[in-house]
Amino acid sequence: MTKPICYSTKAFSTASATSPLGATNIERRNPTASDVQIKILYCGVCHSDLHFARNEWGFTQYPAVPGHEIVGRVTAVGSGVTKFKVGDTVGVGCLVDSCRTCPNCRAGFEQFCDSGMVGTYGGMDKHLGTPTLGGYSQSIVVTEDFVLRMPANLDPAAAAPLLCAGITTYSPLRHWKVGPGQKVGIVGLGGLGHMGVKFAKAFGAHVVLFTTSPGKIADGKRLGAHEVVVSTDEAQMQAQAGSFDFILDAVSASHDLNAYLNLLKRDGNLVLVGAPEKPLPVAAFPLLMRRRSLSGSLIGGLPETQEMLDFCGTHNITSDIEMIRMDQINGAYERMLKSDVKYRFVIDMASLA
Ligand code: NAP
Ligand code: ZN
Ligand code: ZN
């Protein structure tokens, strides 16, 4: 494989699971015929970035550049690009390529590609033969089929988290047809959870937020929850037993799944989107009783991600964000570990100039 011509761009990377992130220069390929070159304006900070930077899932290769909630402006397009032009505001989410020919790719579920999707970070770059590097950088080059159109009416910074937190919650709520007449739980009011609350409300369900942080009760209601349960309060949990059609669990750390299975009705479904470092023990009986299900869901494919963005444009849905400079990222990670984010950090990439 001949290595394509590359250019250098500024980025923030980490050299090991225990090092802080710091400034560096990385190489991006010059756009090929089907590529879009994007100047990154904003990048959301997902808890997955932290899991990955610290090798909590065990597959990180260093140096690593996290970031997969990217919004930017097109600065160049290859000769074969038809969907985008210079100056367009575009998004890039968690994946930048896939085989495109397997049944899952053909059905628009590129995240489940049989050959493995190419993650925006931590994947294998087909052009360079090296690990992909994410959005904590000034510029990225992505094949046009994996670039999304951003609705013009949405604030681009507040829309950046839609590219992961948005689609990751939208997709399971849509797949399991959450809507009017259903009682739906959202567990954890973080980046994903607060989007889950907004979407479940927009889809017409009765929404109950479960939080470990009593200080988030008022925000939970403002964001759309009809009820807020403090999950550390046994009596409040007991009062909800056997009453839910669907619960979306967006917690980033170890917690008791059995307590949530017990809240489901007959045939109810607990769907995990949170990806904690350690396995979560599940007892048989909470599943056997009432024929309950335990499921999972991973981000979303390109067609559904565009559908979600368009839905957000129509309904004026974005994230509640706290803007940070790139050099504040290490402090932001520490706050994320304390559940102290309201409700997504977004990096202003101009701060990396
Ligand atoms: P986040 O912003 O840090 O939010 C996580 C929330 O979980 C916290 O705000 C907190 O909410 C709750 N929490 C934290 N520690 C807890 C504990 N020990 N026990 C109970 N609750 C706890 O994280 P995020 O960016 O939303 O990501 C959440 C998880 O989803 C991460 O594991 C991430 O890697 C994963 N993820 C998965 C996908 C996918 O495709 N499936 C995509 C993106 C992210 P309260 O303060 O309200 O309790
Ligand atoms: Zn993410
Ligand atoms: Zn495929």
Side-chain angles (χ1 to χ4, degrees):
M1 186 173 76
T2 345
K3 192 179 162 214
I5 302 168
C6 289
Y7 67 97
S8 174
T9 189
K10 287 184 186 168
F12 250 55
S13 75
T14 179
S16 79
T18 51
S19 329
L21 284 102
T24 187
N25 287 299
I26 58 168
E27 289 206 319
R28 301 288 196 195
R29 66 180 181 272
N30 279 0
T32 65
S34 61
D35 280 335
V36 176
Q37 184 190 47
I38 301 160
K39 175 188 178 181
I40 301 178
L41 301 174
Y42 302 104
C43 185
V45 179
C46 181
H47 206 114
S48 300
D49 298 354
L50 190 161
H51 290 308
F52 174 74
R54 300 187 179 179
N55 198 23
E56 291 176 356
W57 294 328
F59 60 77
T60 308
Q61 287 182 272
Y62 296 96
V65 177
H68 59 203
E69 293 182 337
I70 298 167
V71 168
R73 193 142 295 137
V74 175
T75 46
V77 293
S79 56
V81 169
T82 57
K83 295 182 220 153
F84 301 99
K85 58 179 192 317
V86 171
D88 286 353
T89 304
V90 294
V92 177
C94 302
L95 61 174
V96 289
D97 214 339
S98 69
C99 86
R100 306 184 205 197
T101 56
C102 75
N104 286 325
C105 285
R106 281 209 301 271
F109 297 108
E110 297 90 348
Q111 78 274 33
F112 304 130
C113 175
D114 289 343
S115 311
M117 70 168 191
V118 180
T120 304
Y121 55 76
M124 184 47 66
D125 191 311
K126 290 181 189 172
H127 302 263
L128 300 177
T130 51
T132 50
L133 303 171
Y136 295 3
S137 62
Q138 286 186 323
S139 165
I140 192 165
V141 175
V142 179
T143 183
E144 73 164 329
D145 291 342
F146 287 74
V147 177
L148 287 310
R149 291 183 309 280
M150 297 305 293
N153 59 314
L154 299 183
D155 169 24
L162 300 176
L163 275 313
C164 174
I167 184 60
T168 301
T169 49
Y170 180 95
S171 182
L173 292 170
R174 279 299 197 216
H175 177 69
W176 279 288
K177 300 185 172 52
V178 161
Q182 292 185 359
K183 186 172 175 187
V184 170
I186 305 289
V187 188
L189 195 66
L192 267 57
H194 94 291
M195 292 312 304
V197 168
K198 289 186 186 204
F199 285 131
K201 171 84 184 308
F203 298 164
H206 179 85
V207 184
V208 181
L209 167 70
F210 293 90
T211 180
T212 59
S213 308
K216 294 181 182 174
I217 294 172
D219 278 347
K221 291 191 173 153
R222 176 180 59 78
L223 293 164
H226 300 92
E227 298 175 55
V228 180
V229 172
V230 177
S231 55
T232 48
D233 181 331
E234 192 57 37
Q236 286 189 41
M237 290 294 276
Q238 273 306 321
Q240 302 282 343
S243 68
F244 282 84
D245 298 283
F246 184 93
I247 300 178
L248 188 69
D249 183 329
V251 173
S252 51
S254 294
H255 59 293
D256 181 15
L257 290 186
N258 304 296
Y260 291 99
L261 288 170
N262 280 324
L263 303 189
L264 293 170
K265 286 180 183 165
R266 171 169 54 79
D267 291 328
N269 189 6
L270 172 63
V271 178
L272 300 185
V273 285
E277 180 182 2
K278 297 200 180 75
L280 303 171
V282 176
F285 275 93
L287 284 170
L288 307 188
M289 301 306 291
R290 304 190 199 208
R291 202 166 51 191
R292 295 162 172 139
S293 300
L294 173 63
S295 321
S297 188
L298 180 76
I299 50 172
L302 272 294
E304 194 177 37
T305 305
Q306 190 64 59
E307 174 194 307
M308 177 274 311
L309 289 170
D310 296 343
F311 179 90
C312 289
T314 305
H315 298 271
N316 222 5
I317 294 174
T318 52
S319 268
D320 286 34
I321 65 164
E322 180 176 339
M323 194 91 84
I324 58 167
R325 294 190 315 271
M326 188 69 256
D327 64 8
Q328 293 176 301
I329 189 68
N330 295 302
Y333 278 9
E334 293 314 310
R335 280 185 53 195
M336 193 147 63
L337 285 173
K338 291 186 207 140
S339 302
D340 175 24
V341 188
K342 290 182 174 166
Y343 281 88
R344 195 57 138 191
F345 290 119
V346 171
I347 305 159
D348 179 358
M349 216 44 80
S351 65
L352 188 54

